[in-house]
Amino acid sequence: MDKKILVVDDSATVRQQVRTALADTGFDVIEAADGLEGLDAIAACRDLAAVICDINMPRLNGLELLETLNQKGTVPALPVVMLTTEGQPSLIKRAKAAGARGWLVKPFKGAALVATLRRLTT
Amino acid sequence: MTQRPPANQRLLDKVTSECCQELFAAYGFPLRSVGRGPLPPTDRRVFCSVMGFGGRQLRGALVLASTAEPLQSTHAGDAESQQDWIRELSNQLMGRVKNRLVSLGADVLLTTPAALSEESLTSISSQASALLGFEGESGRVWAWIEFECRNGFELPSVLPASEEPVLSEGDFLLF
């Protein structure tokens, strides 16, 4: 049975790129277009294996989403990987402190994404 | 915050040009610079996205525009998805520019991008000659970065030794 991955990104194109990268790799993708939708999806889907999350999004950004999940106690049981254009050390530290398990800088390599998810969801 | 030091403009233009070429090359569509010029009047559809940025030392906006061919070559899709794609490309371009600025000691926060597309889209700004133009195997791309600096702020031209390294595109970390 495929593991469920939530991808949270305001770009439909990026969500499709993640879906394509994970096709036939043992992962089933569900999508959210911003941090608030991401919170709703996590509350609604109790068997998520991991979350891939952008940072710069409207309504609720990725770091705010992560910190909300951390306050709720959802991480570290649910691995969250940031997929973002950001590479700034202070943001990486903030994400790590809030319980993120990984950080990928766009554009991502499909093989790296798959390997990261397999490592985090075993 | 009203200054636009020429040295900062030259550096930002250089960074923007390099990052734009690196970005499209990363998606298998190399660009060559064709110098500066306005967005020419055309009956072809042009896709355009704008991202703002701001920080303690400088603030401004980056514009990325493209005809359909570079977008189609880097991510196939219909016009609606191409509009989403140029929005994401401007996000990734500004991300690259930001990472370079952070490496130089600037403090930069990003907004979310906004995109539009239209046939006969053209530039009307008095600074239209500031657009950086690029050509690919087919189609055209333009980039433009406009900013203002806090009085006296100058970007260093070399990386300060004490700054922490910024991750590069494609890098990944596991914690």
Side-chain angles (χ1 to χ4, degrees), chain A residues 11-14 16-17 56-58 85-89 91-93 96 100-107 112 116 119, chain B residues 26-27 75 81 84-85 88 91-92 95-96 98-99 102 108 110 112 164-175:
Chain A
S11 168
T13 309
V14 171
Q16 183 189 340
Q17 288 173 341
N56 293 322
M57 296 183 289
T85 61
E86 301 277 4
Q88 192 171 356
L91 295 179
I92 297 172
K93 284 178 188 168
K96 189 176 176 183
R101 300 293 301 279
W103 188 285
L104 281 77
V105 183
K106 293 175 181 175
T116 298
R119 186 163 171 177
Chain B
Y27 287 102
H75 184 83
S81 66
D84 181 85
W85 183 224
E88 175 61 19
N91 179 40
Q92 293 191 24
R96 288 174 181 259
K98 175 187 170 174
N99 287 340
V102 167
V108 178
L110 305 181
T112 52
E164 281 186 84
V166 176
L167 285 189
S168 296
E169 294 71 26
D171 285 351
F172 68 96
L173 295 175
L174 282 178
F175 304 138

Side-chain angles (χ1 to χ4, degrees), chain A:
Chain A
M1 186 173 173
D2 285 359
K3 294 178 181 176
K4 280 188 191 163
I5 304 296
L6 171 66
V7 56
V8 188
D9 198 303
D10 57 331
S11 168
T13 309
V14 171
R15 299 196 303 270
Q16 183 189 340
Q17 288 173 341
V18 172
R19 184 180 290 279
T20 300
L22 298 185
D24 302 320
T25 62
F27 296 107
D28 187 29
V29 174
I30 59 174
E31 301 181 18
D34 60 46
L36 284 182
E37 281 191 22
L39 281 179
D40 289 344
I42 291 166
C45 186
R46 295 292 176 178
D47 58 343
L48 281 176
V51 178
I52 299 165
C53 188
D54 188 16
I55 289 188
N56 293 322
M57 296 183 289
R59 299 210 298 165
L60 189 74
N61 71 42
L63 287 173
E64 292 166 342
L65 167 62
L66 177 65
E67 288 164 346
T68 302
L69 293 174
N70 195 29
Q71 285 168 8
K72 288 174 181 284
T74 308
V75 293
L78 177 62
V80 179
V81 176
M82 314 312 291
L83 174 62
T84 172
T85 61
E86 301 277 4
Q88 192 171 356
S90 60
L91 295 179
I92 297 172
K93 284 178 188 168
R94 181 178 165 189
K96 189 176 176 183
R101 300 293 301 279
W103 188 285
L104 281 77
V105 183
K106 293 175 181 175
F108 67 93
K109 293 181 175 57
L113 182 63
V114 173
T116 298
L117 288 173
R118 284 183 174 153
R119 186 163 171 177
L120 293 175
T121 59
T122 50

Side-chain angles (χ1 to χ4, degrees), chain B residues 15-26:
Chain B
V15 167
T16 302
S17 180
E18 289 172 356
C19 289
C20 190
Q21 292 177 278
E22 288 167 7
L23 173 64
F24 278 84

Side-chain angles (χ1 to χ4, degrees), chain B residues 8 25 29 42 68 70 82 96 101 103 105 113 116 119 122-123 162 170 172:
Chain B
N8 283 356
F29 192 81
T42 173
Q82 287 176 5
R96 288 174 181 259
L101 292 176
S103 295
L116 59 94
E119 292 171 10
T122 186
S123 53
S162 60
F172 68 96

Side-chain angles (χ1 to χ4, degrees), chain B residues 24-153:
Chain B
F24 278 84
Y27 287 102
F29 192 81
L31 294 174
R32 65 180 182 88
S33 172
V34 294
R36 298 176 182 277
L39 197 65
T42 173
D43 57 1
R44 299 160 74 185
R45 181 168 288 270
V46 176
F47 297 81
C48 183
S49 183
V50 183
M51 269 197 80
F53 60 91
R56 284 173 297 164
Q57 303 102 335
L58 73 167
R59 64 186 179 192
L62 179 142
V63 178
L64 179 67
S66 176
T67 58
E69 297 89 343
L71 302 179
Q72 193 71 14
S73 294
T74 51
H75 184 83
D78 58 19
E80 186 181 341
S81 66
Q82 287 176 5
Q83 190 153 317
D84 181 85
W85 183 224
I86 195 164
R87 190 165 49 227
E88 175 61 19
L89 283 173
S90 71
N91 179 40
Q92 293 191 24
L93 175 58
M94 190 63 231
R96 288 174 181 259
V97 171
K98 175 187 170 174
N99 287 340
R100 297 274 287 267
L101 292 176
V102 167
S103 295
L104 293 172
D107 166 41
V108 178
L109 296 173
L110 305 181
T111 66
T112 52
L116 59 94
S117 67
E118 187 52 82
E119 292 171 10
S120 305
L121 192 69
T122 186
S123 53
I124 59 172
S125 165
S126 60
Q127 296 193 55
S129 59
L131 267 70
L132 304 165
F134 307 90
E135 280 184 349
E137 184 179 309
S138 59
R140 296 284 299 268
V141 173
W142 298 266
W144 176 21
I145 190 161
E146 183 171 298
F147 70 98
E148 53 189 16
C149 295
R150 187 175 296 278
N151 290 347
F153 175 69

